[in-house]
Amino acid sequence: MAEALRLAEQALANAGVDTPRVDAELLLAHVLGVSRSGVYANGEHEVPGRLHVLLGRRCKREPLAYVLGEWGFRRLTLKTDARALVPRPETEIVVERCLELLREEREPRVLDLGTGTGAIALALADEHPAARVTAVDSSPEALALARENAARLRLPVEIRPGGFEVAAEGWDLVVANPPYVAPEEWDGLQPEIREWEPRGALVGVGLHEQIARAAATHRLVLEVGDGQAEAVAETLRELGYTDVTVTFDLTGTERVVDGRRP
C-alpha cells in the first residue's frame, strides 16, 4: 500500500498536479472504499486495478472531483462530472451568507440562478428546510445533473430551465455565482479548469450588473471574482440597493457581495 501511494504521488507530481500527495491519498481511499485516513490503516490490502485507470485520468489533469465522481459541499456529497463546474470551497461562504440573511425568514422564496450541480440550492434546502428553493440553469446538461443530485439527496428543490428573466418573478432572496472570468484570463487558468470545466459557466463580463438590474428580490447575494467586490458593491449601490455588504472567504479574499432591494 505504501509503495502504491508513493508511485501514485510521483506520477501525479510528474504530471504537474499541485497537490500530488493529497490527490494520491484520495484516489486510493476511493478505490478502497475507506476514508483518507483509512488508507494508512489498510496497509495489507491489495490495491484494486481501478486505481490505475483513475490515476491515468488525473494525470491528464482531469479535475479530481470528476475522476472521483463526487465531491463534498458543506454537509452534502454531490455527484460531479463535466456537465457542470466543480463546487468550490469559496461558494460555501455564499451559502453561509444566504443562511445568515434568511435566519429570521420562516418560508422564504429563494432562487439559485445558474445552479450547475445544484450545490447552492441543495445546501440551502438542507440547512433551511422551510425555504422554498427554486434552481434554474440555461444548460440542459447542468439541469440534468442538478436533478440527479436532488433525487439522490431527497431534497425538495424545484429545478427548471431559465436564465436572468426568472430573477424578475419576485423572490425573497436571489443568489448567483455567475461566470466572472474575463476572456483574456482564460489561457492562464490551470489545465483542470481550461481543458475540462464548461467554459460557458466560467467566462463572462458584466453579468453581476445584469442580474442586479433584473432581480425583483428583497435580497441579492452574488459570488464575485478576485478583485471584483468593490466594483460590484458600487454597482449595487448605484442601482438603489441598500445595506450592501462584502464578505470574505476563508483565504481572506473578498468573495461575496449582497444588498437589500427597497
Side-chain angles (χ1 to χ4, degrees):
M1 189 70 65
E3 181 66 4
L5 188 60
R6 185 189 69 80
L7 291 173
E9 179 183 5
Q10 182 179 348
L12 292 167
N14 291 342
V17 172
D18 286 344
T19 54
R21 182 71 176 188
V22 172
D23 286 30
E25 291 172 343
L26 289 171
L27 288 169
L28 198 50
H30 182 72
V31 298
L32 291 172
V34 300
S35 66
R36 183 176 159 196
S37 60
V39 168
Y40 298 96
N42 289 271
E44 302 306 317
H45 283 208
E46 183 177 346
V47 177
R50 194 160 64 97
L51 174 65
H52 301 291
V53 176
L54 300 185
L55 184 61
R57 291 172 60 185
R58 186 67 184 105
C59 284
K60 293 178 181 177
R61 304 300 292 272
E62 185 176 352
L64 181 62
Y66 292 171
V67 176
L68 298 177
E70 61 183 25
W71 203 243
F73 185 82
R74 294 185 67 84
R75 304 192 311 195
L76 308 177
T77 299
L78 300 169
K79 180 177 181 180
T80 46
D81 58 40
R83 289 177 288 177
L85 296 181
V86 175
R88 288 164 164 80
E90 52 266 34
T91 304
E92 296 192 20
I93 307 302
V94 176
V95 174
E96 189 71 36
R97 183 61 181 155
C98 291
L99 290 169
E100 188 174 336
L101 294 171
L102 294 171
R103 184 178 295 123
E104 304 302 323
E105 302 286 340
R106 294 188 61 184
E107 294 184 345
R109 295 185 67 246
V110 178
L111 173 67
D112 176 20
L113 191 59
T115 195
T117 60
I120 292 175
L122 293 167
L124 290 173
D126 175 54
E127 297 182 52
H128 194 324
R132 293 172 290 169
V133 183
T134 297
V136 301
D137 205 296
S138 59
S139 163
E141 294 80 11
L143 285 173
L145 180 57
R147 290 189 179 109
E148 289 169 26
N149 276 319
R152 285 179 63 184
L153 297 166
R154 299 181 180 179
L155 288 169
V157 172
E158 179 190 10
I159 299 171
R160 56 184 168 100
F164 294 173
E165 74 283 352
V166 181
E169 293 180 7
W171 306 89
D172 293 304
L173 185 145
V174 171
V175 56
N177 176 17
Y180 53 64
V181 175
E184 61 270 20
E185 297 174 332
W186 182 253
D187 289 339
L189 297 177
Q190 290 181 316
E192 284 87 347
I193 299 172
R194 191 179 65 249
E195 297 175 9
W196 294 94
E197 296 196 79
R199 180 186 171 108
L202 288 160
V203 176
V205 177
L207 300 182
H208 295 97
E209 180 175 352
Q210 292 181 41
I211 295 168
R213 287 184 181 278
T217 181
H218 294 141
R219 293 279 192 177
L220 177 64
V221 181
L222 299 168
E223 180 172 328
V224 301
D226 294 1
Q228 296 177 356
E230 183 176 344
V232 172
E234 184 58 31
T235 295
L236 263 58
R237 295 187 188 99
E238 291 173 356
L239 293 174
Y241 286 82
T242 61
D243 299 333
V244 176
T245 302
V246 175
T247 302
F248 294 82
D249 65 21
L250 297 178
T251 69
T253 301
E254 294 178 325
R255 185 60 64 195
V256 186
V257 179
D258 69 85
R260 181 194 297 271
R261 193 108 184 189

